């Protein structure tokens, strides 16, 4: 009788048999600032054993993969390849789509929609053909519109394809709350919901610091309380921070890559982690047929239950306004 090790491998397997054991595979579409940094973050965190970069720019994608590969010695063991051949994505477990039009200073995410949707129409069916069972995460902006369009283009079920949504925005929110209150960001629990963009909103009603509701937070010594004015200032800074970063350095890439790698881990490790990803909502607080972000369970099967977190009347109205805005944009582009 064969024995099993703690990780489930049977003892006594031949090296040839062991060598065919399935490894987790991540495919990143687009080797630009976001895509290449996404691959780097996933490798550094050990999120996947195999990382494939795809881009139509052959020289660029091969150079990015080579540069990453040279650092594998200093990361958790993995393999990284880059190619302009779509087959590099074959049999991926997770596909992160980062390719799209680049956002310029002063340009809104919605302004990017037409060019990015055209690109998705061209690329996505080819990727689905070689990786039909992957979980697809759209990262390209405007992510909510692109996610909705991608569902129509690909025909994939809404559990299997969703957007990175406001995972990054929620991280920005928690960072700013931590800065204002003087506590560790890991002890702040708060979500941004709605559009990943100008109509997004913080869910203050369900936010907590160390278990204390933020609306009841009186502040620690040396730190001002989170008054309504302070909360409004934080919310504005969350929305405007991306524009500020783009104006200063041309692109946001580090934080979005780390947020993306967290989504990858939640999928590949089947964590059932609650993340505010952008997915197709049907009957959520009366919201239907639109992709936007709400706290949702993410695991190996993709996006699952959407949590109907408590919301104030103002927050619910704001979420519905965000949904109406996104639906209008989707209709403008024929979706």
């Amino acid at each position: 009788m064969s024995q099993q090790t703690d990780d489930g491998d049977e003892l006594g397997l031949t090296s040839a048999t062991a060598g065919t054991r399935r490894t987790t595979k991540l495919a990143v579409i687009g080797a630009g600032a976001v895509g290449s940094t996404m691959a780097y973050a996933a490798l550094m965190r050990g999120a996947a054993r195999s990382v494939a970069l795809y881009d139509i720019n052959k020289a660029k994608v091969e150079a990015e993969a080579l540069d990453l590969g040279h650092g594998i010695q200093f990361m958790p063991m993995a393999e990284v390849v880059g190619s302009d051949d779509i087959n590099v994505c074959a049999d991926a477990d997770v596909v992160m789509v980062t390719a799209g039009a680049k956002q310029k200073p002063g340009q809104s995410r919605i302004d990017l929609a037409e060019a990015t949707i055209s690109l998705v129409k061209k690329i996505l069916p080819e990727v689905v053909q070689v990786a039909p069972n992957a979980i697809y995460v759209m990262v390209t902006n405007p992510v909510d519109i692109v996610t909705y369009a991608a569902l129509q283009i690909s025909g994939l079920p809404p559990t299997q394809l969703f957007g990175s949504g406001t995972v990054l925005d929620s991280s920005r929110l928690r960072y700013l709350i931590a800065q204002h209150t003087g506590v560790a960001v890991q002890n702040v629990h708060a979500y941004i919901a709605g559009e990943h963009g100008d109509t997004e909103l913080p869910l203050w009603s369900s936010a907590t610091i160390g278990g204390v509701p933020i609306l009841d937070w009186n502040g620690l010594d040396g730190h001002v309380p989170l008054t309504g004015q302070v909360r409004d200032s934080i919310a504005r800074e969350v929305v405007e921070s991306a524009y500020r970063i783009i104006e200063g350095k041309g692109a946001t890439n580090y934080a979005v890559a780390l947020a993306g790698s967290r989504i990858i881990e939640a999928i590949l490790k089947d964590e059932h982690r609650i993340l505010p990803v952008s997915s197709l909502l049907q009957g959520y607080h009366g919201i239907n047929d639109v992709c936007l972000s709400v706290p949702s369970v993410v695991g190996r099967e993709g996006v699952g239950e959407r949590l109907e977190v408590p919301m104030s009347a103002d927050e619910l109205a704001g979420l519905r306004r965000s949904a109406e805005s996104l639906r209008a944009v989707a209709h403008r582009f024929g979706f």
Side-chain angles (χ1 to χ4, degrees), residues 228-298:
Q229 185 176 4
V230 171
R231 294 197 304 273
D232 288 345
S233 174
I234 288 173
R236 281 195 303 273
E237 189 168 350
V238 171
V239 172
E240 294 169 1
S241 59
Y243 298 123
R244 180 178 167 190
I245 293 167
I246 289 166
E247 185 177 352
K249 57 174 272 191
T252 62
N253 58 312
Y254 295 120
V256 68
L258 288 166
S261 66
R262 198 66 200 83
I263 298 171
I264 293 163
E265 290 174 7
I267 296 167
L268 292 180
K269 296 179 181 178
D270 197 23
E271 291 179 339
H272 293 252
R273 184 169 291 269
I274 298 170
L275 297 168
V277 296
S278 180
S279 64
L280 183 66
L281 299 187
Q282 298 290 4
Y284 183 89
H285 285 297
I287 297 171
N288 296 289
D289 195 35
V290 66
C291 289
L292 52 73
S293 294
V294 296
S296 308
V297 179
V298 178

Coordinates of all heavy atoms in Angstrom, one line a residue, residues 228-298:
G228 N -17.4 63.5 10.0 CA -18.0 63.4 8.6 C -17.1 64.2 7.6 O -16.9 63.7 6.5
Q229 N -16.6 65.3 8.1 CA -15.7 66.1 7.2 C -14.4 65.3 6.8 O -14.0 65.3 5.7 CB -15.3 67.4 7.8 CG -14.5 68.3 7.0 CD -14.3 69.7 7.6 OE1 -14.7 69.9 8.8 NE2 -13.7 70.6 6.9
V230 N -13.8 64.6 7.8 CA -12.6 63.8 7.6 C -12.9 62.7 6.7 O -12.2 62.4 5.8 CB -12.0 63.4 9.0 CG1 -10.9 62.4 8.7 CG2 -11.5 64.5 9.8
R231 N -14.1 62.0 6.9 CA -14.4 60.9 6.1 C -14.6 61.3 4.7 O -14.2 60.6 3.7 CB -15.7 60.2 6.7 CG -15.5 59.5 8.0 CD -16.6 58.5 8.3 NE -17.9 59.1 8.3 CZ -18.5 59.7 9.3 NH1 -17.9 59.9 10.5 NH2 -19.8 60.2 9.2
D232 N -15.3 62.4 4.5 CA -15.5 62.9 3.1 C -14.1 63.2 2.4 O -14.0 62.9 1.2 CB -16.3 64.2 3.1 CG -17.8 63.9 3.4 OD1 -18.2 62.7 3.4 OD2 -18.5 64.9 3.8
S233 N -13.2 63.8 3.2 CA -11.9 64.1 2.6 C -11.1 62.8 2.2 O -10.5 62.7 1.2 CB -11.1 64.8 3.7 OG -9.7 65.0 3.2
I234 N -11.3 61.7 3.1 CA -10.6 60.5 2.8 C -11.3 59.9 1.5 O -10.5 59.4 0.6 CB -10.8 59.5 4.0 CG1 -9.9 59.9 5.1 CG2 -10.5 58.1 3.5 CD1 -10.1 59.1 6.4
A235 N -12.6 59.9 1.4 CA -13.3 59.4 0.2 C -12.8 60.1 -1.1 O -12.6 59.4 -2.1 CB -14.8 59.5 0.4
R236 N -12.7 61.4 -1.0 CA -12.2 62.1 -2.2 C -10.8 61.7 -2.6 O -10.5 61.6 -3.7 CB -12.3 63.6 -1.9 CG -13.6 64.2 -2.1 CD -13.6 65.8 -2.1 NE -12.9 66.4 -1.0 CZ -13.5 66.7 0.2 NH1 -14.8 66.5 0.3 NH2 -12.8 67.2 1.1
E237 N -9.9 61.6 -1.5 CA -8.6 61.2 -1.8 C -8.5 59.8 -2.5 O -7.6 59.6 -3.3 CB -7.7 61.3 -0.6 CG -6.2 61.1 -0.8 CD -5.4 61.5 0.4 OE1 -5.9 62.0 1.4 OE2 -4.2 61.2 0.3
V238 N -9.3 58.9 -2.1 CA -9.3 57.6 -2.7 C -9.6 57.7 -4.2 O -9.0 57.0 -5.0 CB -10.4 56.6 -2.0 CG1 -10.5 55.3 -2.7 CG2 -9.9 56.3 -0.5
V239 N -10.6 58.5 -4.5 CA -11.0 58.6 -5.9 C -9.9 59.3 -6.7 O -9.6 58.9 -7.8 CB -12.3 59.4 -6.0 CG1 -12.7 59.8 -7.5 CG2 -13.5 58.6 -5.4
E240 N -9.3 60.3 -6.1 CA -8.4 61.2 -6.9 C -7.0 60.6 -6.9 O -6.1 61.1 -7.7 CB -8.4 62.6 -6.3 CG -9.7 63.3 -6.4 CD -9.8 64.6 -5.6 OE1 -8.8 64.9 -4.9 OE2 -10.9 65.2 -5.7
S241 N -6.7 59.6 -6.0 CA -5.3 59.2 -5.9 C -4.7 58.6 -7.2 O -3.5 58.8 -7.5 CB -5.1 58.2 -4.8 OG -6.0 57.1 -5.0
A242 N -5.5 57.9 -7.9 CA -5.1 57.3 -9.2 C -4.7 58.4 -10.2 O -3.6 58.3 -10.9 CB -6.1 56.4 -9.8
Y243 N -5.5 59.4 -10.3 CA -5.2 60.5 -11.2 C -3.8 61.2 -10.8 O -3.0 61.6 -11.6 CB -6.3 61.6 -11.2 CG -7.6 61.0 -11.7 CD1 -8.8 61.1 -10.9 CD2 -7.7 60.5 -12.9 CE1 -10.0 60.6 -11.3 CE2 -8.9 60.0 -13.4 CZ -10.1 60.0 -12.6 OH -11.3 59.6 -13.0
R244 N -3.6 61.3 -9.5 CA -2.4 61.9 -8.9 C -1.2 61.1 -9.3 O -0.1 61.6 -9.7 CB -2.6 62.1 -7.4 CG -1.4 62.7 -6.7 CD -1.7 62.8 -5.2 NE -0.5 63.1 -4.5 CZ -0.5 63.1 -3.1 NH1 -1.6 62.7 -2.5 NH2 0.6 63.3 -2.5
I245 N -1.3 59.8 -9.1 CA -0.2 58.9 -9.5 C 0.1 58.9 -11.0 O 1.3 59.0 -11.4 CB -0.5 57.4 -9.0 CG1 -0.6 57.4 -7.4 CG2 0.5 56.5 -9.5 CD1 -1.2 56.1 -6.9
I246 N -0.9 58.8 -11.8 CA -0.8 58.9 -13.2 C -0.1 60.2 -13.7 O 0.8 60.2 -14.5 CB -2.1 58.6 -13.9 CG1 -2.6 57.2 -13.7 CG2 -2.0 59.0 -15.4 CD1 -4.0 56.9 -14.1
E247 N -0.5 61.3 -13.1 CA 0.1 62.6 -13.4 C 1.6 62.6 -13.1 O 2.4 63.1 -13.8 CB -0.7 63.7 -12.7 CG -0.2 65.1 -13.1 CD -1.0 66.2 -12.4 OE1 -2.0 65.9 -11.8 OE2 -0.6 67.3 -12.5
G248 N 1.9 61.9 -12.0 CA 3.3 62.0 -11.5 C 4.2 61.0 -12.2 O 5.4 61.3 -12.4
K249 N 3.7 59.8 -12.4 CA 4.6 58.7 -13.0 C 4.1 58.0 -14.2 O 4.8 57.1 -14.7 CB 5.0 57.7 -11.9 CG 3.8 57.0 -11.2 CD 4.2 55.9 -10.2 CE 4.3 54.6 -11.0 NZ 4.5 53.5 -10.1
G250 N 2.9 58.4 -14.7 CA 2.4 57.8 -15.9 C 1.6 56.6 -15.8 O 0.8 56.3 -16.8
A251 N 1.6 55.9 -14.7 CA 0.8 54.7 -14.6 C 0.7 54.3 -13.1 O 1.6 54.6 -12.3 CB 1.3 53.6 -15.4
T252 N -0.4 53.6 -12.7 CA -0.4 52.9 -11.4 C -0.1 51.5 -11.7 O -0.6 50.9 -12.6 CB -1.8 53.0 -10.8 OG1 -2.7 52.4 -11.6 CG2 -2.2 54.5 -10.6
N253 N 0.9 50.9 -10.9 CA 1.2 49.5 -11.2 C 1.5 48.7 -10.0 O 1.2 47.5 -9.9 CB 2.4 49.4 -12.2 CG 3.7 50.1 -11.7 OD1 3.6 51.2 -11.3 ND2 4.8 49.4 -11.8
Y254 N 2.2 49.2 -8.9 CA 2.6 48.4 -7.8 C 1.4 47.9 -7.0 O 1.2 46.8 -6.8 CB 3.5 49.2 -6.9 CG 4.8 49.5 -7.5 CD1 5.3 50.9 -7.7 CD2 5.7 48.5 -8.0 CE1 6.5 51.2 -8.3 CE2 6.9 48.8 -8.6 CZ 7.3 50.2 -8.8 OH 8.5 50.5 -9.4
A255 N 0.5 48.9 -6.5 CA -0.6 48.5 -5.7 C -1.6 47.7 -6.4 O -2.1 46.7 -5.8 CB -1.2 49.8 -5.1
V256 N -1.9 48.0 -7.7 CA -2.9 47.2 -8.4 C -2.3 45.8 -8.6 O -3.1 44.8 -8.6 CB -3.2 47.9 -9.7 CG1 -2.1 47.9 -10.7 CG2 -4.5 47.2 -10.4
A257 N -1.0 45.6 -8.8 CA -0.4 44.3 -9.0 C -0.5 43.5 -7.7 O -0.8 42.3 -7.7 CB 1.0 44.4 -9.4
L258 N -0.3 44.1 -6.6 CA -0.4 43.5 -5.3 C -1.9 43.1 -5.0 O -2.2 42.0 -4.5 CB 0.1 44.3 -4.1 CG 1.6 44.5 -4.1 CD1 2.1 45.6 -3.2 CD2 2.3 43.2 -3.7
A259 N -2.8 44.0 -5.3 CA -4.2 43.7 -5.2 C -4.6 42.5 -6.1 O -5.3 41.6 -5.7 CB -5.1 44.9 -5.5
G260 N -4.1 42.5 -7.3 CA -4.4 41.4 -8.2 C -3.8 40.1 -7.8 O -4.5 39.0 -7.9
S261 N -2.6 40.1 -7.2 CA -2.0 38.9 -6.7 C -2.8 38.3 -5.5 O -2.9 37.1 -5.3 CB -0.5 39.1 -6.3 OG -0.4 40.0 -5.2
R262 N -3.4 39.2 -4.8 CA -4.3 38.7 -3.6 C -5.5 38.0 -4.2 O -5.9 37.0 -3.6 CB -4.7 39.9 -2.8 CG -5.2 39.5 -1.4 CD -4.0 38.9 -0.6 NE -4.5 38.1 0.5 CZ -4.9 36.8 0.4 NH1 -4.9 36.2 -0.8 NH2 -5.2 36.1 1.4
I263 N -6.1 38.5 -5.3 CA -7.2 37.8 -5.9 C -6.8 36.5 -6.4 O -7.5 35.5 -6.3 CB -7.8 38.7 -7.0 CG1 -8.3 40.0 -6.5 CG2 -8.9 37.9 -7.8 CD1 -8.7 41.0 -7.6
I264 N -5.6 36.4 -7.1 CA -5.0 35.2 -7.6 C -4.9 34.1 -6.5 O -5.3 33.0 -6.7 CB -3.7 35.4 -8.3 CG1 -3.8 36.3 -9.5 CG2 -3.0 34.1 -8.6 CD1 -2.5 36.9 -10.0
E265 N -4.4 34.5 -5.4 CA -4.2 33.6 -4.2 C -5.6 33.1 -3.7 O -5.7 31.9 -3.4 CB -3.4 34.3 -3.1 CG -2.0 34.5 -3.4 CD -1.3 35.3 -2.3 OE1 -1.9 35.6 -1.3 OE2 -0.1 35.7 -2.6
A266 N -6.5 34.0 -3.6 CA -7.8 33.6 -3.2 C -8.5 32.5 -4.1 O -9.1 31.6 -3.6 CB -8.8 34.8 -3.1
I267 N -8.2 32.6 -5.4 CA -8.7 31.7 -6.3 C -8.0 30.3 -6.2 O -8.5 29.3 -6.0 CB -8.7 32.2 -7.8 CG1 -9.5 33.4 -7.9 CG2 -9.1 31.1 -8.8 CD1 -9.3 34.2 -9.2
L268 N -6.6 30.4 -6.4 CA -5.8 29.2 -6.5 C -5.8 28.4 -5.1 O -5.7 27.2 -5.1 CB -4.4 29.5 -6.9 CG -4.3 30.0 -8.3 CD1 -2.8 30.3 -8.7 CD2 -4.8 29.0 -9.3
K269 N -5.9 29.1 -4.0 CA -5.9 28.5 -2.7 C -7.3 28.2 -2.2 O -7.5 27.7 -1.1 CB -5.1 29.3 -1.7 CG -3.6 29.5 -2.0 CD -2.9 30.3 -1.0 CE -1.4 30.5 -1.4 NZ -0.7 31.4 -0.4
D270 N -8.3 28.5 -3.0 CA -9.7 28.3 -2.6 C -10.0 28.8 -1.3 O -10.6 28.2 -0.4 CB -10.0 26.8 -2.7 CG -11.5 26.6 -2.8 OD1 -12.3 27.5 -3.2 OD2 -12.0 25.4 -2.4
E271 N -9.7 30.1 -1.0 CA -9.7 30.7 0.3 C -11.1 31.1 0.7 O -11.4 31.3 1.9 CB -8.8 31.9 0.4 CG -7.3 31.6 0.3 CD -6.4 32.8 0.4 OE1 -6.9 33.9 0.1 OE2 -5.3 32.6 0.7
H272 N -12.0 31.3 -0.2 CA -13.4 31.8 0.1 C -13.2 33.1 0.8 O -13.9 33.4 1.8 CB -14.2 30.8 0.9 CG -14.5 29.6 0.2 ND1 -15.8 29.3 -0.2 CD2 -13.8 28.5 -0.2 CE1 -15.9 28.1 -0.9 NE2 -14.6 27.7 -0.9
R273 N -12.3 33.9 0.3 CA -12.0 35.2 0.9 C -13.0 36.3 0.4 O -13.4 36.2 -0.8 CB -10.6 35.7 0.5 CG -10.1 37.0 1.1 CD -8.6 37.2 0.9 NE -7.9 36.2 1.7 CZ -7.4 36.5 2.9 NH1 -7.7 37.6 3.5 NH2 -6.7 35.6 3.6
I274 N -13.4 37.2 1.3 CA -14.3 38.2 0.9 C -13.5 39.4 0.3 O -12.7 40.0 1.0 CB -15.2 38.7 2.1 CG1 -16.0 37.5 2.6 CG2 -16.1 39.8 1.7 CD1 -16.7 37.7 3.9
L275 N -13.8 39.7 -0.9 CA -13.1 40.8 -1.7 C -14.1 41.6 -2.5 O -15.1 41.0 -3.0 CB -12.1 40.2 -2.6 CG -10.9 39.4 -2.0 CD1 -10.1 38.7 -3.1 CD2 -10.0 40.4 -1.2
P276 N -14.0 42.9 -2.6 CA -14.9 43.7 -3.3 C -14.6 43.7 -4.8 O -14.2 44.7 -5.4 CB -14.8 45.1 -2.7 CG -13.3 45.1 -2.3 CD -13.0 43.7 -1.8
V277 N -14.8 42.5 -5.4 CA -14.6 42.4 -6.9 C -15.8 42.9 -7.6 O -16.9 42.9 -7.1 CB -14.2 40.9 -7.3 CG1 -12.9 40.6 -6.6 CG2 -15.3 40.0 -6.9
S278 N -15.6 43.1 -8.9 CA -16.7 43.6 -9.8 C -17.3 42.4 -10.5 O -16.6 41.7 -11.3 CB -16.2 44.6 -10.8 OG -17.2 45.0 -11.7
S279 N -18.6 42.1 -10.3 CA -19.2 41.0 -10.9 C -20.6 41.4 -11.3 O -21.2 42.4 -10.9 CB -19.2 39.8 -10.0 OG -20.0 40.1 -8.8
L280 N -21.2 40.5 -12.1 CA -22.6 40.8 -12.6 C -23.6 40.6 -11.5 O -23.7 39.5 -10.9 CB -22.9 39.8 -13.8 CG -24.3 40.0 -14.4 CD1 -24.3 41.3 -15.2 CD2 -24.6 38.8 -15.4
L281 N -24.3 41.6 -11.2 CA -25.3 41.6 -10.1 C -26.7 41.4 -10.6 O -27.1 42.0 -11.7 CB -25.3 42.9 -9.3 CG -23.9 43.3 -8.6 CD1 -24.2 44.5 -7.7 CD2 -23.4 42.2 -7.8
Q282 N -27.4 40.5 -9.9 CA -28.8 40.2 -10.3 C -29.5 40.2 -9.0 O -29.3 39.3 -8.1 CB -28.9 38.9 -11.0 CG -28.2 38.8 -12.4 CD -28.8 39.7 -13.5 OE1 -29.8 40.5 -13.2 NE2 -28.3 39.7 -14.7
G283 N -30.4 41.2 -8.7 CA -31.2 41.2 -7.5 C -30.4 41.5 -6.2 O -30.8 41.2 -5.1
Y284 N -29.3 42.3 -6.4 CA -28.6 42.7 -5.2 C -29.1 44.0 -4.8 O -28.9 45.1 -5.4 CB -27.1 42.8 -5.6 CG -26.2 43.2 -4.4 CD1 -25.6 42.2 -3.5 CD2 -25.9 44.5 -4.1 CE1 -24.9 42.6 -2.5 CE2 -25.1 44.9 -3.0 CZ -24.6 43.9 -2.2 OH -23.8 44.2 -1.1
H285 N -29.8 44.1 -3.6 CA -30.4 45.3 -3.2 C -31.2 46.0 -4.3 O -31.3 47.2 -4.4 CB -29.4 46.3 -2.6 CG -28.8 45.9 -1.3 ND1 -29.6 45.9 -0.1 CD2 -27.5 45.6 -0.9 CE1 -28.8 45.6 0.9 NE2 -27.6 45.4 0.5
G286 N -31.8 45.1 -5.1 CA -32.7 45.7 -6.2 C -31.9 46.1 -7.4 O -32.4 46.6 -8.4
I287 N -30.6 45.8 -7.5 CA -29.7 46.2 -8.6 C -29.6 45.0 -9.5 O -29.2 43.9 -9.1 CB -28.3 46.7 -8.1 CG1 -28.5 47.9 -7.3 CG2 -27.4 46.9 -9.3 CD1 -27.2 48.4 -6.6
N288 N -29.8 45.2 -10.8 CA -29.7 44.1 -11.8 C -28.9 44.5 -13.0 O -28.8 45.6 -13.4 CB -31.1 43.7 -12.2 CG -32.0 43.2 -11.1 OD1 -31.8 42.1 -10.6 ND2 -32.9 44.0 -10.7
D289 N -28.4 43.4 -13.7 CA -27.8 43.5 -15.0 C -26.7 44.6 -15.1 O -26.7 45.4 -16.1 CB -28.9 43.8 -16.1 CG -28.3 43.5 -17.5 OD1 -27.5 42.6 -17.6 OD2 -28.8 44.2 -18.4
V290 N -25.8 44.6 -14.2 CA -24.7 45.6 -14.2 C -23.5 45.0 -13.4 O -23.7 44.2 -12.5 CB -25.1 47.0 -13.6 CG1 -25.4 46.9 -12.2 CG2 -24.0 48.0 -13.9
C291 N -22.3 45.2 -13.9 CA -21.1 44.8 -13.1 C -20.6 45.9 -12.3 O -20.3 47.0 -12.8 CB -20.0 44.3 -14.1 SG -20.4 42.8 -14.9
L292 N -20.6 45.7 -11.0 CA -19.9 46.7 -10.1 C -19.5 45.9 -8.8 O -19.8 44.7 -8.7 CB -20.8 47.9 -9.8 CG -22.3 47.7 -9.3 CD1 -22.3 47.2 -7.8 CD2 -23.0 49.0 -9.4
S293 N -18.8 46.6 -8.0 CA -18.1 46.0 -6.8 C -18.9 46.0 -5.6 O -19.4 47.1 -5.1 CB -16.7 46.6 -6.6 OG -15.9 46.4 -7.7
V294 N -19.1 44.8 -5.0 CA -19.6 44.7 -3.6 C -18.8 43.5 -3.0 O -18.2 42.7 -3.7 CB -21.1 44.3 -3.6 CG1 -21.9 45.5 -4.3 CG2 -21.4 43.0 -4.4
P295 N -18.8 43.5 -1.6 CA -18.0 42.4 -1.0 C -18.6 41.0 -1.4 O -19.8 40.8 -1.3 CB -18.3 42.7 0.5 CG -18.6 44.1 0.6 CD -19.3 44.5 -0.7
S296 N -17.7 40.2 -1.9 CA -18.1 38.9 -2.5 C -17.1 37.8 -2.1 O -15.9 38.1 -1.8 CB -18.1 39.0 -4.0 OG -18.8 40.1 -4.5
V297 N -17.6 36.6 -2.1 CA -16.8 35.4 -1.7 C -16.0 35.0 -3.0 O -16.6 34.7 -4.0 CB -17.6 34.3 -1.2 CG1 -16.7 33.1 -0.8 CG2 -18.4 34.8 0.1
V298 N -14.7 34.9 -2.9 CA -13.9 34.5 -4.0 C -13.1 33.2 -3.7 O -12.4 33.2 -2.6 CB -12.9 35.6 -4.4 CG1 -12.0 35.2 -5.6 CG2 -13.6 36.9 -4.8

